[in-house]
Amino acid sequence: MLKNLFRTRSAERMGLPLYSAAVEQARDPGFYTALGVTDEIDARFELYTLHVLLLILRLRDEAGYDAEKGSEAAQNLFDTYVSALDNTLRELGVNDVTMAKKMRKLGESLYGRMTTYEAPLRAGDAAELAEGLARNVYATEDAARGQGLAAYGLAAREGLASQPIDAVLTAPVWPEVKA
């Protein structure tokens, strides 16, 4: 019992601070002013998802001694995000009868976004990432609309990769949001 009191911060508790860091960055006014993201629930969901994915990719890319730590933290961040989505739906008044259906649909959307963004983020493919972001964030097929956000996403991926895992776990540094 005393062992639990004095142990270091466990991977199970890393999810909430990481989620909070992603949400805080996604709320940067630059997304809404410089990059023209609409301040609506769907667009905010897209930005939250992008930032959570950026952190998950960084943590899962950890190799060597801290690989397990990164993997556990990434899973806990994902679980925290899904839980936060569930809580948000409940706060919006979705009742228990329709909750499973709404969560399934939201889960499919989340998985779809992460799948759409992961490959171009890993490959550094700005054009493909811009297409997905334009479609999902800006609700347009004009890929040029997503170029600024794609450049930001790739810069964030590169910046997070250059930070030690402990820095990412405690206070990830994000790039400046600019047009």
Side-chain angles (χ1 to χ4, degrees):
M1 182 153 170
L2 287 176
K3 184 170 104 176
N4 290 337
L5 283 175
F6 298 109
R7 72 178 176 191
T8 58
R9 186 171 150 193
S10 68
E12 295 87 37
R13 296 187 318 187
M14 289 181 195
L16 188 56
L18 287 168
Y19 173 70
S20 295
V23 168
E24 182 180 337
Q25 181 61 19
R27 291 180 176 165
D28 184 308
F31 290 111
Y32 307 98
T33 56
L35 296 179
V37 175
T38 59
D39 190 13
E40 296 175 356
I41 194 165
D42 290 343
R44 287 191 303 264
F45 166 77
E46 298 297 341
L47 288 179
Y48 294 168
T49 300
L50 175 63
H51 285 88
V52 166
L53 177 61
L54 286 164
L55 285 172
I56 287 172
L57 292 176
R58 165 58 186 92
L59 294 167
R60 286 188 177 158
D61 287 346
E62 188 64 30
Y65 178 76
D66 288 326
E68 185 177 339
K69 180 180 183 180
S71 180
E72 287 177 17
Q75 183 61 52
N76 196 256
L77 170 57
F78 180 80
D79 294 345
T80 301
Y81 186 36
V82 170
S83 178
L85 292 173
D86 180 272
N87 291 338
T88 299
L89 285 176
R90 290 182 191 281
E91 288 172 5
L92 291 172
V94 176
N95 63 36
D96 288 336
V97 174
T98 60
M99 181 58 83
K101 186 176 179 181
K102 294 273 188 194
M103 279 305 295
R104 185 178 65 245
K105 184 175 179 184
L106 196 55
E108 289 169 358
S109 294
L110 178 60
Y111 179 75
R113 297 319 187 264
M114 289 185 161
T115 301
T116 297
Y117 304 151
E118 182 176 359
L121 281 168
R122 286 194 181 281
D125 187 340
E128 185 180 345
L129 184 58
E131 285 178 25
L133 292 168
R135 188 173 49 256
N136 296 321
V137 177
Y138 299 101
T140 180
E141 294 299 321
D142 180 10
R145 187 77 173 98
Q147 288 176 341
L149 190 53
Y152 166 84
L154 292 172
R157 170 111 167 108
E158 184 178 322
L160 290 169
S162 70
Q163 297 170 46
I165 189 168
D166 289 332
V168 173
L169 291 173
T170 57
V173 177
W174 302 95
E176 180 183 353
V177 180
K178 54 187 175 189

